Structure formats: structure tokens, C-alpha cells
Amino acid sequence: FSLVYDGAGKNYTASASGVSGFSYTYSGVSPTTYGPSSTAPTNVGTYKITASSTDPNYSGSKEVNFSITPAPVTVIAAAKTKAFGSADPALTYTASGLIGFDVLSGALTRAEGENVGSYSILQGTLSVGSNYSISYTGSSLQITSAMLSQDSITITAPFSVVYDGA
């Protein structure tokens, strides 16, 4: 069995004709470390559940392996613009698919360069841990020409205004 991470315990149940009840034990299957515990696991990994009869008239158990796979998270970088010579804007993104209070950590980065042009915005250190798989869509930072004001431009007259053939 394969289940997708949703932040909740994966409680299995068992039944058998005429049996009044079962107890459940969850354990990790290598390399997953977990239990043994009566509490169902929530995190990504490979597990084994053992259902054992608690009915005094019946004995027996059954084991079943199952896995919890990462939930998909979509991250889309926002396009940014700055003028040549100015500081980079904050690199931001939108994310969907996170469960409960889970959050992304880390930061986006961008390709190096400061001249006018287009620079890719990269995933950088942005992550969310092993319970998710990130589908990242990058964008770009556009560096545009800086505007010069009339006051910042100085026009210098020629040294001599007498015709000298030059």
C-alpha cells in the first residue's frame, strides 16, 4: 500500500469473522526508523503494521508493509525588476500544497550579474523537508537601464571657441 503524506496518522484496521478485536503495532522498515508503537506514523517512510488478535478465543496476527510518500508542493517564483545600480528586490514566491502549519524554509537565489539583462531566479536553499516533493517553476529578474536626470548630466564647453580648423 502507498499513501500520500497528509499530516495525519495512517491508522489501519483489521477484521476477521467472529473475532472481537485486534491490537496494532507500527514499526519502521529499514531505512525508516519508527516504533514499535501503537500510534500510527504520519511522516514519509516505509512501515509495517502488525494486527494481532485480542480475542481470547483466537490467536494470530498479520503483517502488512505500507509506505507514506511525499506530498507535492508547487512553488512559483515571482518575476522581479530593478534598475541598473540599485539593490536587488526581495525574491518572492507563491506556494500551494502545504499541509497544516508546515512551511518552506530557506531562500530563492538568482543567477549572478549586475549589467542590464535577464537573470534566472533559482530555487536556492528553499526546502520543506522530506514529507514533500517540490515542483519549482522559476522566473527572472530583469535589470533595466538606469535613468539619468538632466541635473546629473554635465555638458562641458570646448576649451576654445575660436576657429582653429579642428
Side-chain angles (χ1 to χ4, degrees), residues 10-97:
K10 305 303 178 200
N11 293 303
Y12 278 77
T13 59
S15 63
S17 181
V19 177
S20 64
F22 289 87
S23 66
Y24 305 98
T25 303
Y26 298 91
S27 302
V29 175
S30 185
T32 303
T33 303
Y34 186 82
S37 174
S38 60
T39 303
T42 59
N43 293 319
V44 167
T46 304
Y47 301 92
K48 172 179 66 176
I49 178 174
T50 305
S52 302
S53 172
T54 57
D55 188 318
N57 297 313
Y58 297 93
S59 65
S61 63
K62 183 174 183 176
E63 293 181 350
V64 173
N65 285 353
F66 68 97
S67 62
I68 301 174
T69 60
V73 170
T74 301
V75 175
I76 301 172
K80 298 292 179 173
T81 303
K82 77 169 194 169
F84 174 80
S86 65
D88 279 4
L91 300 178
T92 59
Y93 56 87
T94 58
S96 61

Side-chain angles (χ1 to χ4, degrees), residues 71-157:
V73 170
T74 301
V75 175
I76 301 172
K80 298 292 179 173
T81 303
K82 77 169 194 169
F84 174 80
S86 65
D88 279 4
L91 300 178
T92 59
Y93 56 87
T94 58
S96 61
L98 292 169
I99 297 166
F101 295 104
D102 292 345
V103 295
L104 291 157
S105 63
L108 300 176
T109 57
R110 72 168 181 93
E112 291 185 27
E114 292 299 326
N115 292 325
V116 171
S118 180
Y119 298 87
S120 295
I121 297 175
L122 310 168
Q123 185 174 335
T125 60
L126 197 63
S127 71
V128 71
S130 62
N131 286 329
Y132 295 92
S133 61
I134 293 178
S135 173
Y136 177 75
T137 302
S139 194
S140 61
L141 168 69
Q142 295 293 331
I143 299 179
T144 60
S145 299
M147 290 298 292
L148 292 174
S149 69
Q150 288 185 4
D151 293 339
S152 66
I153 299 172
T154 303
I155 298 176
T156 305

Side-chain angles (χ1 to χ4, degrees), residues 158-166:
F159 181 71
S160 169
V161 289
V162 175
Y163 177 77
D164 62 3

